[in-house]
Amino acid sequence: MLPALLLPAALVLSFWAGPAVRAGDAKFGQSCNRDHQKLQEGTYQFQTDCDAMTFCAENSTCAHKGCRSDEFPFGYPKNAKLPNKCSKGFFCPDEQDLCQPLIPVGSPCQFNRDDECEGPPNFKELADTSGFGLNVNGSVCLNNICMWANITVGQPCVVQNTAYTAYGPDGEFIDIVSRGNCRVGLYCDAQTNLCVQNKAIGETCDADKECETYNCLDSGVCGDRADTPREVGKWVYVVVGVCIFGGMVGTLVGLYFIHRKDRNQEREKRLQYWREQNAFRQNIMQMQETARNSLMSFTPGGSPRSTMYGRDQVQSEDSQVPMLHAASKSSALRYYVSDDGSQIDDRSDEDLMMRRRDHGPSHGERF
Ligand SMILES: *[C@@H]1O[C@H](CO)[C@@H](O)[C@H](O)[C@H]1NC(C)=O
Ligand SMILES: *[C@@H]1O[C@H](CO)[C@@H](O)[C@H](O)[C@H]1NC(C)=O
Ligand SMILES: *[C@@H]1O[C@H](CO)[C@@H](O)[C@H](O)[C@H]1NC(C)=O
């Protein structure tokens, strides 16, 4: 009775929980609140009530996005029609509602969106080509204002320090990223607010921005770029090559020795078989001869043959000896056939000898 009562209660609870919409879950046409739009603390990711394919429109419902900033935007199902990327001279804001023209220098921009700012006339000279993302086309968005990254050494600069929540193997930690509007090759010192020359590899540093390589090691000196490919010495190639070749040759040699034992055993068996067959053949020929001689001894006037018969009889008696000897040393191939068909290799020599003794007389009886 008890489970029957609990089941409807569980259903009611699930219906209650159903319509409650979590942030970022509202689908196209559902209601949303623009006041909920903000950057998430720690990650500075844009947050909205609407799902990944919609934005919160002015009439407080989720509408389809009007543009995208990423080549492969998150949250779209396979084969879905993606909104267009903005053409040159335009940008797609965090809301992704509509493409907008680039913002002139000195005007407000969205957090860290250097790409929203119009480039300087000497953008070719100021643009950061290092891949560290120090500016976009010579422009930076610092403290939500578009600027040009054109300040030279010793001149006052603007700095923006942002604390990100980062996740490492030891759990969460704070990663402070400091950006400024100095020219490429300089950094904005947070204490003096002046542009300072970057430091070379090996010089002491306190932050990544101080290094030419944008990598201040834990030891407090500038290290190689974090994306530097790891070079391996030539000797490593040689050692690996020798190990591969050695392994191949070693395997071949090992197999040769393992199979040599089997091969020799097989050869020995064949040789014994051949000797055996040869002995049988000779024995049969002698029997034939004995039979012929005994027949001839019955022929009339064949008296001299009687002595021959006696001698041949003795000879044939003697000739039994090698045959029996051969039979007692018969090849294992015969046993292989007569036995239960188990592998010869599994038997030890002693085992074979035992079997030979057991079977020996039966071969003798055959002839
Ligand atoms: C709300 O605005 C969006 C975009 O402007 C529009 O597509 C949608 O039809 C509007 N919804 C309502 C209920 O007016
Ligand atoms: C860089 O900015 C200049 C000046 O605004 C503009 O003419 C140029 O097209 C921009 N280059 C890129 C790659 O956006
Ligand atoms: C440097 O950029 C600022 C805007 O950030 C601009 O007002 C100023 O004229 C520029 N200075 C030079 C020397 O280009």
Side-chain angles (χ1 to χ4, degrees):
M1 283 300 285
L2 196 61
L5 283 172
L6 280 174
L7 191 62
L11 281 174
V12 170
L13 279 175
S14 71
F15 277 126
W16 275 347
V21 174
R22 280 182 293 134
D25 272 4
K27 297 199 168 32
F28 173 74
Q30 290 181 333
S31 64
C32 59
N33 187 345
R34 287 192 133 201
D35 294 341
H36 291 173
Q37 292 183 162
K38 64 174 169 89
L39 295 182
Q40 203 171 25
E41 240 169 86
T43 63
Y44 298 90
Q45 189 186 16
F46 183 74
Q47 267 191 327
T48 166
D49 290 343
C50 299
D51 67 12
M53 290 180 287
T54 57
F55 76 98
C56 197
E58 264 176 70
N59 55 19
S60 290
T61 61
C62 292
H64 289 301
K65 281 183 177 175
C67 63
R68 72 178 203 267
S69 346
D70 299 321
E71 189 61 46
F72 300 102
F74 174 77
Y76 285 82
K78 221 175 162 184
N79 302 326
K81 197 186 170 297
L82 302 176
N84 292 328
K85 283 179 85 173
C86 300
S87 49
K88 205 169 172 179
F90 292 83
F91 70 91
C92 189
D94 286 346
E95 293 83 359
Q96 304 194 342
D97 51 351
L98 205 64
C99 287
Q100 292 177 23
L102 290 178
I103 297 163
V105 68
S107 305
C109 51
Q110 289 178 314
F111 175 77
N112 267 7
R113 289 292 303 268
D114 300 350
D115 61 315
E116 295 184 357
C117 302
E118 216 170 44
N122 54 344
F123 66 93
K124 275 184 185 145
E125 188 190 339
L126 300 182
D128 168 39
T129 52
S130 65
F132 298 136
L134 302 178
N135 67 52
V136 172
N137 200 16
S139 309
V140 280
C141 181
L142 293 180
N143 305 322
N144 295 98
I145 298 289
C146 277
M147 296 177 194
W148 290 338
N150 63 358
I151 311 297
T152 49
V153 181
Q155 298 301 304
C157 54
V158 177
V159 70
Q160 172 199 284
N161 293 325
T162 314
Y164 289 87
T165 308
Y167 301 88
D170 306 324
E172 283 182 25
F173 63 96
I174 301 296
D175 182 32
I176 294 171
V177 174
S178 180
R179 311 186 72 223
N181 60 344
C182 300
R183 278 168 173 257
V184 172
L186 315 174
Y187 70 93
C188 191
D189 187 88
Q191 262 86 52
T192 61
N193 279 354
L194 296 175
C195 284
V196 180
Q197 190 73 43
N198 276 146
K199 296 166 180 174
I201 293 174
E203 291 185 56
T204 54
C205 58
D206 291 321
D208 287 337
K209 65 167 180 180
E210 298 177 15
C211 300
E212 276 173 2
T213 52
Y214 208 76
N215 185 20
C216 186
L217 300 175
D218 288 341
S219 53
V221 293
C222 290
D224 281 332
R225 282 181 65 131
D227 58 358
T228 306
R230 196 171 286 258
E231 296 283 346
V232 183
K234 285 208 170 63
W235 64 272
V236 176
Y237 288 96
V238 172
V239 166
V240 170
V242 165
C243 285
I244 291 171
F245 189 73
M248 279 160 55
V249 169
T251 307
L252 286 176
V253 168
L255 285 172
Y256 172 77
F257 280 111
I258 287 169
H259 286 279
R260 190 172 70 169
K261 208 176 135 231
D262 291 349
R263 256 195 332 269
N264 287 345
Q265 274 180 1
E266 285 297 314
R267 193 184 296 132
E268 184 61 26
K269 274 176 208 150
R270 275 194 210 101
L271 200 62
Q272 277 183 359
Y273 184 73
W274 180 83
R275 282 199 205 107
E276 208 179 291
Q277 295 300 314
N278 204 30
F280 289 154
R281 183 177 160 273
Q282 280 177 359
N283 194 251
I284 288 166
M285 279 164 67
Q286 274 172 348
M287 277 172 73
Q288 269 184 339
E289 202 178 324
T290 310
R292 203 188 303 129
N293 287 343
S294 60
L295 275 175
M296 282 168 82
S297 69
F298 283 114
T299 54
S303 53
R305 296 276 178 183
S306 61
T307 50
M308 287 284 284
Y309 174 77
R311 208 184 69 211
D312 281 358
Q313 192 65 36
V314 172
Q315 266 188 345
S316 69
E317 293 277 331
D318 288 344
S319 68
Q320 292 281 341
V321 177
M323 191 213 79
L324 280 173
H325 179 67
S328 71
K329 267 185 74 182
S330 62
S331 73
L333 288 175
R334 298 179 71 82
Y335 299 110
Y336 179 63
V337 173
S338 67
D339 219 280
D340 57 358
S342 61
Q343 287 287 313
I344 300 164
D345 306 49
D346 294 341
R347 301 179 196 166
S348 65
D349 285 348
E350 278 171 83
D351 191 27
L352 284 172
M353 289 293 273
M354 296 278 281
R355 280 157 195 270
R356 270 173 209 145
R357 272 185 213 115
D358 292 344
H359 287 68
S362 70
H363 287 290
E365 276 162 23
R366 242 183 247 170
F367 297 94

